[in-house]
Amino acid sequence: MENVSIYVHIPFCKIRCGYCDFNTYSGLMHLAEGYVDAVCREITSLKRSLGGKDIGKIKTLYFGGGTPSLLAPSLIDKIIRQLQKFSAFAEDIEITLEVNPGTVDREYLANIYDVGVNRLSIGVQSAHKKELEILDRLHGYEEAVRVVEFSRNSGFDNISLDFIYGLPNQYTKDWVESLKAAISLAPEHLSLYALSVEPGTPLEKKILASVYPMPDEDAAADMYEVAIEILDGAGYTHYEISNWAKRKRQEIFYSMHNLQYWRNLPYIGLGAGAHGFVSGYRTINESFPQRYINLFKDDVHMPFPQTAAIVDLVKIDNYREMQETMMMGLRLLEEGVSDLTFRNRFGLHIEEIFEKEITRLIEKGLVLWADNNNGDRSIKLTKFGYFLANQVFQEFV
Ligand code: SF4
């Protein structure tokens, strides 16, 4: 059995940032303990439905949100211990916790390290006060710097920072300052996202009311290009469209958890609104925390991978799995989709399935075949394709 990854969704935030459309809620922290109990029951229910079947080792565990760093370390610990009963952890398991700098102190970070979290993903977003205000973030940049410092002191040697570009009123020079600030913190990993103005968010309302101008897509593309250059110069490997990893000696600090998604490999989603892909099914859980908690009040026995929380269960047929493998794998800029790996998984060469699509994309200069020097070759985005990646993915829908 192939190893599996686990995603745990923590749907609580102190306040909602104006640009956010994630499944998260403010003012519900009083539910935290009941919520963690429900996650533990979800794990028990999955364990029971496996009926002794081996699911493989857990190779990555990711606490995302929301703001997982609002949960007390003892509650994070409770979920980790419950998962250890579900399946053995790989020896080199990566356990990531998303951290919002406005929610943690030195003691919290030390405690979270002690319960086994070994990677932090810190939402810094910008080095500029005015940009953090546009985003309604809880914290200032100095606070984020302190969190990185405290994390290092607590023993964390695998830190990822998130930044956002393409903001209203943001100029390339502002973005370059944020990037340089990011590099000065020496993170092992960086995730850079273009701001997307989501319908119904407070940010969209402010833009429609002309409080802020609509972000300029061309300016955002320029900022992306600048980031590629600057991070390359700073020794970061651009391995996924929005992600960069640092190489230190023999090790390169990819997000192992996200690699599981991009390689279209199995992961179980736990918690309110979590998505999963396991045993050939895509799963989606009930979104509202209180309803999610209520669903685990009774013991319901269901076949794996179903649980009481699942509101959508879709069987992924072979062709759809191939499409998704192409769409997600092409996000990986160095790795792309290897023909050999594809053939080992599906019994066919990539071109036997997607010849027309690939020919069209090669003609447009968006993808290319690269030799892997072992008789294998991989299909990858070209540099031009980085900027039109959505057009590439559309070909495989
Ligand atoms: S902290 Fe993150 S999840 Fe919470 S509201 Fe802000 S952007 Fe959304």
Side-chain angles (χ1 to χ4, degrees):
M1 184 89 191
E2 211 156 357
N3 291 348
V4 71
S5 287
I6 308 272
Y7 173 80
V8 183
H9 191 70
I10 309 298
F12 308 121
C13 286
K14 267 197 186 164
I15 55 152
R16 276 192 71 102
C17 306
Y19 62 101
C20 179
D21 76 336
F22 301 147
N23 182 44
T24 187
Y25 307 84
S26 58
L28 291 188
M29 270 314 287
H30 59 282
L31 295 180
E33 291 199 7
Y35 183 80
V36 168
D37 281 344
V39 170
C40 290
R41 281 165 172 258
E42 188 178 9
I43 297 166
T44 309
S45 161
L46 283 167
K47 171 84 181 164
R48 193 168 349 109
S49 64
L50 271 174
K53 196 174 133 214
D54 184 16
I55 185 82
K57 286 192 177 169
I58 300 177
K59 67 175 175 190
T60 68
L61 165 58
Y62 193 100
F63 291 93
T67 307
S69 56
L70 282 177
L71 280 194
S74 58
L75 294 178
I76 299 285
D77 186 45
K78 198 167 177 181
I79 297 174
I80 293 176
R81 302 296 146 233
Q82 191 71 8
L83 281 166
Q84 282 171 331
K85 291 185 212 156
F86 176 68
S87 195
F89 283 10
E91 270 153 40
D92 58 349
I93 186 171
E94 174 191 277
I95 305 183
T96 305
L97 182 88
E98 286 181 356
V99 170
N100 185 340
T103 61
V104 295
D105 57 16
R106 191 193 292 265
E107 191 189 346
Y108 182 90
L109 292 160
N111 290 338
I112 217 72
Y113 184 77
D114 286 344
V115 304
V117 173
N118 56 20
R119 181 173 183 272
L120 299 178
S121 171
I122 304 173
V124 181
Q125 315 311 0
S126 168
H128 294 286
K129 188 168 182 271
K130 68 173 182 0
E131 293 176 0
L132 292 168
E133 282 168 6
I134 291 174
L135 295 171
D136 289 329
R137 297 291 295 184
L138 272 176
H139 55 89
Y141 175 64
E142 294 67 29
E143 217 168 341
V145 172
R146 270 198 305 278
V147 168
V148 173
E149 189 189 316
F150 294 159
S151 305
R152 294 293 188 205
N153 294 342
S154 300
F156 286 99
D157 58 6
N158 192 355
I159 295 178
S160 179
L161 305 181
D162 278 11
F163 279 75
I164 300 182
Y165 61 93
L167 306 178
N169 294 329
Q170 187 184 37
Y171 293 98
T172 303
K173 75 168 183 36
D174 305 321
W175 173 234
V176 168
E177 283 164 10
S178 277
L179 279 173
K180 291 193 172 158
I183 293 165
S184 74
L185 296 173
E188 281 71 28
H189 187 275
L190 276 162
S191 298
L192 310 179
Y193 300 108
L195 177 71
S196 157
V197 180
E198 299 298 336
T201 55
L203 180 63
E204 188 207 41
K205 288 189 186 118
K206 285 186 186 164
I207 288 171
L208 293 176
S210 304
V211 177
Y212 301 128
M214 188 58 148
D216 176 343
E217 277 183 25
D218 292 337
D222 288 346
M223 290 181 210
Y224 181 57
E225 201 168 356
V226 163
I228 293 172
E229 265 174 46
I230 292 183
L231 293 178
D232 182 51
Y236 285 86
T237 301
H238 189 193
Y239 73 103
E240 194 271 347
I241 293 174
S242 307
N243 288 279
W244 284 257
K246 188 91 180 175
R247 184 180 290 284
K248 285 188 181 168
R249 294 175 290 279
Q250 294 310 309
E251 201 175 353
I252 180 148
F253 288 83
Y254 298 123
S255 163
M256 298 312 294
H257 184 80
N258 287 342
L259 276 179
Q260 187 85 350
Y261 299 153
W262 296 319
R263 289 175 179 156
N264 202 21
L265 295 173
Y267 63 97
I268 294 172
L270 302 171
H275 292 215
F277 172 52
V278 65
S279 293
Y281 287 93
R282 291 221 172 260
T283 62
I284 303 180
N285 275 0
E286 162 61 44
S287 302
F288 291 103
Q290 183 66 70
R291 264 196 252 153
Y292 168 82
I293 293 170
N294 293 345
L295 287 168
F296 286 102
K297 291 242 152 81
D298 302 320
D299 253 355
V300 188
H301 189 67
M302 291 180 158
F304 190 84
Q306 292 185 61
T307 67
I310 287 181
V311 291
D312 202 7
L313 181 76
V314 180
K315 178 86 189 129
I316 301 299
D317 64 30
N318 217 32
Y319 182 65
R320 181 146 169 206
E321 191 172 328
M322 289 191 236
Q323 290 175 302
E324 292 178 349
T325 300
M326 295 303 295
M327 280 195 288
M328 285 187 271
L330 280 165
R331 299 190 66 91
L332 292 169
L333 307 178
E334 298 176 295
E335 185 175 312
V337 184
S338 136
D339 192 46
L340 183 62
T341 310
F342 190 92
R343 190 152 38 93
N344 287 341
R345 180 163 174 175
F346 299 108
L348 291 161
H349 289 283
I350 294 175
E351 282 196 315
E352 288 179 77
I353 306 294
F354 298 116
E355 190 188 357
K356 270 198 295 239
E357 291 82 350
I358 287 173
T359 305
R360 262 198 302 270
L361 291 170
I362 290 176
E363 279 168 10
K364 289 182 189 166
L366 296 172
V367 301
L368 51 77
W369 281 109
D371 271 332
N372 294 336
N373 299 325
N374 57 354
D376 180 29
R377 60 183 189 153
S378 293
I379 186 95
K380 300 180 187 183
L381 290 180
T382 60
K383 286 251 157 68
F384 177 55
Y386 294 6
F387 294 85
L388 296 167
N390 284 338
Q391 208 175 305
V392 175
F393 306 148
Q394 283 299 322
E395 279 287 346
F396 298 97
V397 174

